[in-house]
Amino acid sequence: MAAALAAGCTVEPEPNGGDPEKAGISPFTGQRAGPGPVLAVKVDNAPQARPHTGLDAADLVYVEPVEAGLSRLVAIYSGSLPERVGPVRSARETDLELLRQFGEPALAFSGAQRTLLPEIDDARLFPRTPDDAPEAFTRDGRRDAPHNLFVDPGALLATAPEASEAGDIGFRFGPAPEGGTPREAHSVSYPSASFTFTWEADAGRWRVSMDGGKTDLAPATVVVQEVEVTASDLHDSNGNASPFTETVGHGEATVLRDGRAFEAEWDRDHRDEGTEFTTPDGDPLPFAEGQVWVVYAAPFSALG
């Protein structure tokens, strides 16, 4: 590895953090999983896009702010794939920095602003739209466009055979640390979107509600990551600035697991590295095994 770095070569993330004792364990969920390439799907989260399809099968879900105070999701899959995922929507500049930590993943999306497309083409990933992989995308006639585009993950990955396999992105899994505060529910609000995570002890999961409506989604761990959000140079068709979420850096976070809220700190030194979450004392803060949601939260003055 040292020789590769000295030569300026790209170093792929090692599966399961390179720990042979963790062979067969997903670095995204901490559960048993076979090896598989990483697929990121940009998922619509407008009210018209719900209920989602295939989101419950994701290993990891990121919640991002987009124009006009709305939200979009980035669903990460590896190893186990549902038959279809969606609705699929457009990519954003934030996605390029976020996805660098996954090596060279495949990215399924519906398109992007014209000025962003060259950056996506040059990014370290395998971008796939309906134009690139028409056999992998379908339109659902029971829904109105643009909230009706779906992707077949297996067919999409067949067009990107060199996509990176799942590797260490900084997550650690295990028993909960001492402390924490009992928490029945935790809410995060954007200017035009809201999320509430309600603890269901019988299931051992956090039930997700979006804009006040309960869903079938229930991750084991929810990370509310405090980040900086700035207005980029890009705008939507209505003139709203496209926000850029800073996922490289450090800051505070709240980790929800086992019905408790834990204060945490996050650190990501470089876009090619994963994000580490630690206790205020600097010890690794383990997540509960199962699906993880990471919600980017910030003062959203840039989204007004």
Side-chain angles (χ1 to χ4, degrees):
M1 182 177 294
L5 289 172
C9 300
T10 298
V11 178
E12 292 292 333
E14 296 185 74
N16 303 305
D19 187 344
E21 295 184 359
K22 296 182 180 179
I25 301 297
S26 168
F28 304 156
T29 67
Q31 296 176 315
R32 303 293 301 182
V38 178
L39 168 64
V41 182
K42 196 62 185 284
V43 178
D44 192 354
N45 197 36
Q48 304 94 311
R50 303 170 195 149
H52 297 99
T53 298
L55 201 58
D56 58 336
D59 294 335
L60 170 61
V61 177
Y62 290 96
V63 180
E64 300 176 339
V66 292
E67 298 83 5
L70 295 167
S71 65
R72 291 268 172 92
L73 310 175
V74 180
I76 305 294
Y77 300 85
S78 180
S80 179
L81 304 174
E83 292 185 359
R84 75 172 191 166
V85 176
V88 180
R89 288 299 296 273
S90 55
R92 295 293 187 274
E93 186 178 8
T94 294
D95 303 325
L96 304 185
E97 180 174 279
L98 169 63
L99 295 176
R100 283 287 292 263
Q101 63 191 311
F102 293 95
E104 295 185 54
L107 171 63
F109 64 112
S110 64
Q113 293 189 31
R114 184 174 302 176
T115 54
L116 184 59
L117 287 173
E119 294 185 42
I120 294 175
D121 289 338
D122 291 340
R124 206 179 71 188
L125 48 77
F126 295 92
R128 297 292 186 269
T129 67
D131 291 336
D132 304 313
E135 67 278 12
F137 291 89
T138 57
R139 293 279 181 182
D140 188 335
R142 296 167 296 180
R143 297 194 182 208
D144 294 332
H147 314 286
N148 64 349
L149 180 66
F150 292 82
V151 65
D152 178 335
L156 191 290
L157 283 171
T159 73
E162 296 181 357
S164 297
E165 289 196 356
D168 182 21
I169 59 168
F171 292 0
R172 298 295 178 263
F173 297 87
E178 295 183 0
T181 303
R183 187 70 53 89
E184 294 183 359
H186 190 99
S187 296
V188 179
S189 295
Y190 293 178
S192 302
S194 65
F195 299 83
T196 297
F197 303 93
T198 303
W199 177 244
E200 295 185 347
D202 291 344
R205 295 290 185 268
W206 297 89
R207 182 67 58 186
V208 181
S209 295
M210 299 179 180
D211 300 330
K214 184 178 289 189
T215 73
D216 292 332
L217 304 168
T221 303
V222 178
V223 181
V224 180
Q225 184 174 340
E226 301 291 339
V227 295
E228 291 188 16
V229 178
T230 59
S232 74
D233 294 332
L234 304 177
H235 295 76
D236 67 11
S237 59
N238 294 319
N240 297 303
S242 180
F244 180 78
T245 300
E246 299 278 0
T247 60
V248 172
H250 58 87
E252 297 180 350
T254 300
V255 175
L256 307 175
R257 60 162 297 174
D258 303 322
R260 303 182 77 84
F262 295 87
E263 293 183 5
E265 297 179 358
W266 68 270
D267 185 79
R268 185 182 179 199
D269 291 333
H270 190 274
R271 58 183 178 174
D272 291 338
E273 298 178 357
T275 307
E276 297 181 351
F277 294 90
T278 59
T279 67
D281 293 332
D283 297 322
L285 202 164
F287 297 168
E289 294 179 7
Q291 188 183 73
V292 177
W293 279 51
V294 177
V295 183
Y296 292 127
F300 292 113
S301 58
L303 309 184

